[in-house]
Amino acid sequence: AGFTPDDVTRLRSSSLLPDFKRVLLGYARVETLECVINCDADPFVPRGWRVENHRKGGSLEWGPAQVPVELYLSDSQRNGKVIQGYKLRQELEGKPVLNACVLDWLLAHPDLIPKNWKGKYIHFWGTIYRGSGGSLYVRYLYWGGSGWHWNYHWLSHDFSDDDPAPVRASGS
């Protein structure tokens, strides 16, 4: 993303400008870049949908050195078994699942999506949508061969071991 004139004005008046100059001249490196995701924000709502339930989650720090989540699978999703989405939603009720704000942030920062998420459909159960026809949906993140994308499943869908839910890691 490019800089706006306001960005440049703020940068010039900030104490960080000498640090940026050292990095640009090759005298210093950026070792880590920690970002903060606002999980209390209103989520993106696809056209014709509305938010049925959105669990706010405060701030979530994310960076290349630390991915503060674990991928959760129900026992009913393991070893070739499947669980219907409505039942899985009930099972996840007490778990610190991530919401769609994280999904959308990751799509905007695909270089920070863990490589081991490829081949999986990562469902963000903290936000449930209702479509124009009345059905309930959960959005998911997936690798489409040339990049990361989102899609959705109806809650009547069966979820397998390819369909984990990201939850906050212990201590995050």
Side-chain angles (χ1 to χ4, degrees):
F3 286 102
T4 66
D6 288 342
D7 293 333
V8 173
T9 300
R10 279 193 300 275
L11 182 59
R12 285 173 40 202
S13 64
S14 115
S15 62
L16 296 174
L17 192 55
D19 293 331
F20 285 130
K21 184 176 181 182
R22 283 194 295 278
V23 170
L24 290 172
L25 293 174
Y27 301 131
R29 310 187 286 223
V30 177
E31 292 296 322
T32 63
L33 176 64
E34 297 299 323
C35 300
V36 178
I37 304 169
N38 180 2
C39 298
D40 286 341
D42 291 333
F44 164 73
V45 181
R47 178 175 288 147
W49 292 14
R50 65 180 172 86
V51 174
E52 179 75 12
N53 183 288
H54 180 65
R55 287 199 224 172
K56 296 189 182 277
S59 295
L60 181 66
E61 291 186 20
W62 193 289
Q66 176 199 3
V67 176
V69 301
E70 298 167 349
L71 295 180
Y72 173 85
L73 287 173
S74 163
D75 288 339
S76 299
Q77 290 175 270
R78 298 175 188 273
N79 302 318
K81 296 186 283 185
V82 297
I83 183 173
Q84 186 193 50
Y86 287 103
K87 291 179 183 174
L88 182 55
R89 181 183 182 197
Q90 287 177 330
E91 187 174 316
L92 292 168
E93 197 60 39
K95 307 241 182 287
V97 293
L98 300 184
N99 64 37
C101 295
V102 178
L103 182 158
D104 294 320
W105 186 88
L106 289 170
L107 285 172
H109 303 89
D111 51 316
L112 295 176
I113 299 173
K115 304 273 186 267
N116 67 345
W117 286 17
K118 286 183 179 178
K120 298 177 176 75
Y121 304 95
I122 312 296
H123 290 77
F124 291 79
W125 286 92
T127 307
I128 302 297
Y129 297 91
R130 187 171 297 277
S132 58
S135 296
L136 294 178
Y137 302 105
V138 60
R139 292 174 59 214
Y140 64 88
L141 178 71
Y142 72 100
W143 176 257
S146 62
W148 290 97
H149 309 279
W150 73 268
N151 208 333
Y152 62 91
H153 279 130
W154 293 332
L155 267 55
S156 59
H157 178 80
D158 286 336
F159 292 79
S160 70
D161 59 358
D162 289 337
D163 302 302
V167 297
R168 284 184 186 256
S170 303
S172 292

